[in-house]
Amino acid sequence: MKRRHWAILALAVFLGTAIAHAPVAYLHAWLRPAQPQSQVQPYGLHGTLAHGRIAALTVKGRAVAQNLEWELLPSHLALLRLGVRLKGEGEGTLVEGVLSWSLGGGLRVQDMQAVTAIGNLMAAAGVAYVPIEARARLQVRSLKLDGGRPVAAAGTLDVAGLAWTLARDPVALGDFRAEVETKGSDIVAQLSSPSGPLELSGDAKLAADGNYELHMQFKARPSAEAQVQELIRAVGQPDTRGYYHIRRSGKLS
């Protein structure tokens, strides 16, 4: 190898080491845009790029995770990616998995597990407030985002103890599951209700161009309490088999 090549390699190693051990709070202050403010904001940054901690992560002003720690994964650098192993626990939330970014800004999530309140997941996904409570368990085998939009995904979302909170006493609606996979260029999810007063099934699809479709059908099981039956009657008229339907379509911004 020529002397010039050795010099370039030595310089790259020096710069990489310097950046990895630079205080992450200074790096964040330098890299973040002044305007507009990002919807995702970290607070209480400590440590370096190689190993550090976030006291809280907020989305649109709402804390969705606390006490997060990361560790740089050098093996990803050979693939020209910045990879970290993320782990956090606190305030009823558990998060653990691997995140990596490409030079072009694309994000990948692998082997991620998260247990938290359903409201935190909805806030992280940019969904407006909905009067429900539940515990959510998210298992992401793989997720790829480009420009902030999901382009491939595989995993499951289990929602336990879902309750509608606008009533005087919360109305228990049961447990639900979404099984997500990529088919061709579409991300599809199969919806079901393993247990509880509602019998639910359906599917959702997100196309590569950002267009999405959702269809759910549900009805009260014979053992459902009167509160549940009154609540679902507000949806509209059932079909001839007694199922109520919800259909939605649109495009992600």
Side-chain angles (χ1 to χ4, degrees):
M1 183 179 291
K2 294 182 179 180
R3 182 177 300 177
R4 179 185 176 187
H5 293 162
W6 280 112
I8 293 174
L9 179 60
L11 179 61
V13 170
F14 170 78
L15 290 176
T17 302
I19 293 173
H21 290 84
V24 70
Y26 294 148
L27 290 174
H28 177 257
W30 179 52
L31 293 174
R32 71 181 177 184
Q35 292 291 338
Q37 285 294 320
S38 172
Q39 294 181 344
V40 180
Q41 291 289 339
Y43 291 91
L45 283 166
H46 297 280
T48 66
L49 185 62
H51 185 272
R53 180 171 61 87
I54 301 173
L57 187 68
T58 66
V59 176
K60 294 184 178 180
R62 175 173 179 169
V64 298
Q66 295 177 316
N67 301 322
L68 294 172
E69 294 187 10
W70 73 83
E71 181 180 358
L72 187 68
L73 298 175
S75 59
H76 285 65
L77 297 177
L79 303 174
L80 299 181
R81 301 186 65 85
L82 176 65
V84 298
R85 183 173 298 279
L86 190 69
K87 185 175 183 180
E89 186 172 0
E91 299 293 330
T93 298
L94 172 66
V95 179
E96 185 172 7
V98 174
L99 286 75
S100 66
W101 293 264
S102 68
L103 293 177
L107 171 64
R108 290 183 182 178
V109 181
Q110 294 176 295
D111 301 323
M112 173 73 75
Q113 295 189 57
V115 180
T116 186
I118 187 67
N120 289 341
L121 282 184
M122 294 175 66
V127 178
Y129 170 77
V130 178
I132 57 175
E133 291 180 351
R135 295 295 296 170
R137 181 180 182 86
L138 180 65
Q139 294 181 297
V140 180
R141 296 191 298 276
S142 63
L143 172 64
K144 182 179 180 181
L145 293 94
D146 188 6
R149 179 185 296 172
V151 294
T156 59
L157 171 63
D158 289 293
V159 177
L162 184 69
W164 179 260
T165 60
L166 279 188
R168 178 185 299 178
D169 297 316
V171 180
L173 299 176
D175 303 335
F176 303 89
R177 165 171 281 203
E179 300 184 30
V180 181
E181 61 180 330
T182 303
K183 292 186 176 180
S185 60
D186 299 334
I187 299 175
V188 298
Q190 295 297 322
L191 312 177
S192 61
S193 55
S195 62
L198 289 184
E199 178 187 330
L200 178 144
S201 62
D203 57 78
K205 181 178 73 172
L206 175 63
D209 59 4
N211 286 307
Y212 65 86
E213 298 176 0
L214 167 68
H215 173 228
M216 293 190 300
Q217 62 175 16
F218 56 91
K219 66 178 180 180
R221 289 189 167 107
S223 59
E225 297 181 355
Q227 277 185 308
V228 174
Q229 300 190 34
E230 291 177 5
L231 181 62
I232 65 173
R233 276 197 288 267
V235 175
Q237 293 295 323
D239 63 19
T240 56
R241 298 180 299 156
Y243 285 96
Y244 295 83
H245 294 260
I246 293 179
R247 290 182 172 86
R248 297 287 187 272
S249 62
K251 186 169 185 176
L252 296 181
S253 58

